[in-house]
Amino acid sequence: MLELLESRSQTLATCESLTAGGVAARLADIPGASAVLQGGLVTYSAALKVLLAGVDRDLITRYGVMSAECAQAMAAGARKACRTDWAVSLTGVAGPGPADGRAAGDVYIAVAGPTSASSAVQLYQWPNLTRGQVRENSVRAALRLLLSVLSTV
């Protein structure tokens, strides 16, 4: 994936809530990642989603931080804040219990690219998994979704 982005001279950022930087860390483990990975935002709180990723407060009030709408806004905001071509975002409930009306294991992942056609959002549900398993599955799913979107444009 990083090679594909590098061949296109494109850059990437992350905006992570429940994974707290896990996607950025996984990407940074790859030699040469700095040619593509510009950085990431860890926006665990709603306040930082607004402040750093530019998520509209009204959107959060209307849909909640664990929603497709918030995930999309986080990805778009990370692209803008980090001045990148692409961004991937994650928001959800790692567990062990539910939060804000969402079940443990519910995770929204979004990708924002240079055009609206290069964007996607997906709900993943991993009930009955440990907090660590939900977070690890989320990191893997984010990388798969990003690669899937990149491969179609």
Side-chain angles (χ1 to χ4, degrees), residues 13-15 41 52-55 69-89 110-113 119-120:
T14 64
C15 186
L41 310 173
L52 299 179
V55 176
E69 293 81 5
C70 188
Q72 289 172 313
M74 289 167 62
R79 269 193 76 230
K80 184 177 179 181
C82 298
R83 298 183 174 143
T84 59
D85 300 291
W86 294 90
V88 61
S89 69
V111 173
S119 297

Side-chain angles (χ1 to χ4, degrees), residues 67-69 71-72 89 108-111 119-124 145 149:
S67 65
E69 293 81 5
Q72 289 172 313
S89 69
Y108 286 94
I109 301 174
V111 173
S119 297
V121 64
Q122 179 74 43
L123 169 64
Y124 297 85
L145 182 61
V149 173

Side-chain angles (χ1 to χ4, degrees), residues 59-71:
L59 183 145
I60 291 174
T61 300
R62 184 169 186 181
Y63 300 103
V65 292
M66 290 168 249
S67 65
E69 293 81 5
C70 188

Side-chain angles (χ1 to χ4, degrees), residues 12-146:
L12 174 66
T14 64
C15 186
E16 304 180 59
S17 186
L18 78 149
T19 50
V23 174
R26 184 72 50 89
L27 290 167
D29 282 341
I30 301 168
S34 61
V36 171
L37 180 62
Q38 297 299 295
L41 310 173
V42 175
T43 58
Y44 219 68
S45 72
L48 285 185
K49 287 172 178 60
V50 172
L51 180 67
L52 299 179
V55 176
D56 189 283
R57 288 179 201 271
D58 292 337
L59 183 145
I60 291 174
T61 300
R62 184 169 186 181
Y63 300 103
V65 292
M66 290 168 249
S67 65
E69 293 81 5
C70 188
Q72 289 172 313
M74 289 167 62
R79 269 193 76 230
K80 184 177 179 181
C82 298
R83 298 183 174 143
T84 59
D85 300 291
W86 294 90
V88 61
S89 69
L90 304 91
T91 185
V93 184
D100 295 332
R102 300 298 307 194
D106 285 3
V107 178
Y108 286 94
I109 301 174
V111 173
T115 67
S116 60
S118 59
S119 297
V121 64
Q122 179 74 43
L123 169 64
Y124 297 85
Q125 295 178 301
W126 294 294
N128 305 315
L129 296 183
T130 67
R131 180 178 177 80
Q133 290 169 326
V134 169
R135 293 179 76 222
E136 180 58 31
N137 283 359
S138 298
V139 168
R140 290 180 186 157
L143 296 173
R144 281 193 307 269
L145 182 61
L146 177 60

